[in-house]
Amino acid sequence: MSDRSKGRPVYSTEHGRTCPKCGWPVDDCRCSSSLEQPVPETIVVSLTIERSGRRGKTVTVIHGLPRNEELLKETASELKKACGAGGSYRDDRIEIQGDQRESVRSLLEKKGWRVKG
């Protein structure tokens, strides 16, 4: 049986082979399909600070971005340069090293984005 509401199937004989990356049946693979989303007119993001799983290091996280590789890459690059810090982007979030909330907030608001948090 598969429980799609919780993510991926745990065990199933009805679909045959499963993808080694995402665990879904090969004909319904989630990682092979393009998850690119169009960039909306108004982007609303939220800022948080995370420390868990990073050995006590503080990271500023920007959540709620559309899944658009080009937008994430450009925005992450701009933020890293402006803050003078390292960082990365994944799925729908950007992580910037350190507590950079104020500088990130001002930069995103200058771009016309709405920032929560």
Side-chain angles (χ1 to χ4, degrees), residues 33-39 66-72 91:
S33 64
S34 176
L35 296 175
E36 292 286 312
Q37 294 176 346
V39 179
R67 288 183 180 216
N68 187 308
E69 183 81 20
E70 187 177 321
L71 174 74
L72 290 172
D91 297 332

Side-chain angles (χ1 to χ4, degrees), residues 40-47 62-66 104-117:
E41 296 263 338
T42 306
I43 298 176
V44 180
V45 297
S46 60
L47 290 177
I62 300 111
H63 295 279
L65 293 164
V104 168
R105 179 178 285 114
S106 65
L107 289 167
L108 294 179
E109 286 174 346
K110 284 180 187 174
K111 290 179 87 163
W113 295 7
R114 208 167 134 221
V115 181
K116 296 180 179 180

Side-chain angles (χ1 to χ4, degrees), residues 29-91:
C29 179
R30 301 292 176 173
C31 59
S32 64
S33 64
S34 176
L35 296 175
E36 292 286 312
Q37 294 176 346
V39 179
E41 296 263 338
T42 306
I43 298 176
V44 180
V45 297
S46 60
L47 290 177
T48 58
I49 296 292
E50 291 183 3
R51 287 190 186 98
S52 64
R54 294 177 173 87
R55 294 187 224 155
K57 307 269 194 269
T58 304
V59 176
T60 304
V61 182
I62 300 111
H63 295 279
L65 293 164
R67 288 183 180 216
N68 187 308
E69 183 81 20
E70 187 177 321
L71 174 74
L72 290 172
K73 188 175 184 177
E74 281 181 23
T75 307
S77 179
E78 284 179 34
L79 293 174
K80 290 190 300 185
K81 285 179 186 176
C83 295
S88 65
Y89 63 94
R90 294 186 195 114
D91 297 332

